[in-house]
Amino acid sequence: MTKAVNLQQLFNQYLVTYPTSQLALFDFHVNGSDYTLLYKTSEPEILFAKVGVRDTLKLPIGRNFNVKTYLGDQIGNFKEFFNIPNGFGPNFSPSTFFLEIDARLRLSIPSNMTAQQKAIAYDLEEQDRLNYGGIIRHKANHYTQKNRDKVEILLPDIFQTIQGQNISIKFIP
């Protein structure tokens, strides 16, 4: 069993915005592919969907967000689904790989969410400042990861443009 700590934290954040929801969606990218994780509170499993194909994969999950990562004879399906080369051999650990997935999870952003709902769902800093207020250029890497995360969620086009640059985005009320 592997504890999905990030999944649990993200789900709790999701419930702040959608307290009666029984289904939460999370996106992640791993091994060159995009995936969605679907977590339904009434089901004892999590469902992974691979973007661009019809492939899905289910893993059992307990109430405390413990995921059963002993796969037995299903290991081949797991590796194929997540584009894991067979070269990993006997040293491959589904538990370690799942922790990598857990660390990459992001709440799936519905297109109809307001900026305020996104700020709450993603626990963004300065939730009273959500509007674009300008660019701050730095001479060295002075931008914060929290600023980049906020830009990625609220201003995805700007985020794509400033990646790799020493730029922060100023947010105003």
Side-chain angles (χ1 to χ4, degrees), residues 78-133:
F78 182 87
K79 289 169 87 173
E80 181 180 338
F81 183 78
F82 287 113
N83 305 325
I84 300 166
N86 282 329
F88 277 92
N91 295 329
F92 173 73
S93 166
S95 181
T96 302
F97 185 74
F98 183 78
L99 289 175
E100 181 180 342
I101 290 172
D102 186 53
R104 294 174 183 224
L105 290 175
R106 305 279 298 187
L107 279 169
S108 185
I109 304 174
S111 59
N112 62 348
M113 280 179 87
T114 66
Q116 186 64 43
Q117 288 173 321
K118 292 176 185 177
I120 293 168
Y122 286 92
D123 195 26
L124 298 177
E125 66 179 358
E126 298 181 324
Q127 294 182 6
D128 60 328
R129 297 176 175 268
L130 302 175
N131 298 307
Y132 176 76

Side-chain angles (χ1 to χ4, degrees), residues 123-157:
D123 195 26
L124 298 177
E125 66 179 358
E126 298 181 324
Q127 294 182 6
D128 60 328
R129 297 176 175 268
L130 302 175
N131 298 307
Y132 176 76
I135 290 178
I136 302 167
R137 293 185 183 275
H138 302 289
K139 292 183 181 184
N141 289 338
H142 285 32
Y143 64 85
T144 66
Q145 188 59 49
K146 286 185 177 187
N147 182 265
R148 281 292 161 91
D149 292 344
K150 190 172 184 176
V151 174
E152 181 180 12
I153 292 164
L154 297 177
L155 304 167
D157 293 337

Side-chain angles (χ1 to χ4, degrees), residues 25-46:
L25 307 173
F26 306 92
D27 296 323
F28 65 98
H29 181 87
V30 68
N31 291 343
S33 293
D34 294 315
Y35 298 86
T36 300
L37 182 153
L38 295 87
Y39 175 66
K40 190 172 182 181
T41 57
S42 62
E43 301 291 327
E45 59 195 11
I46 50 179

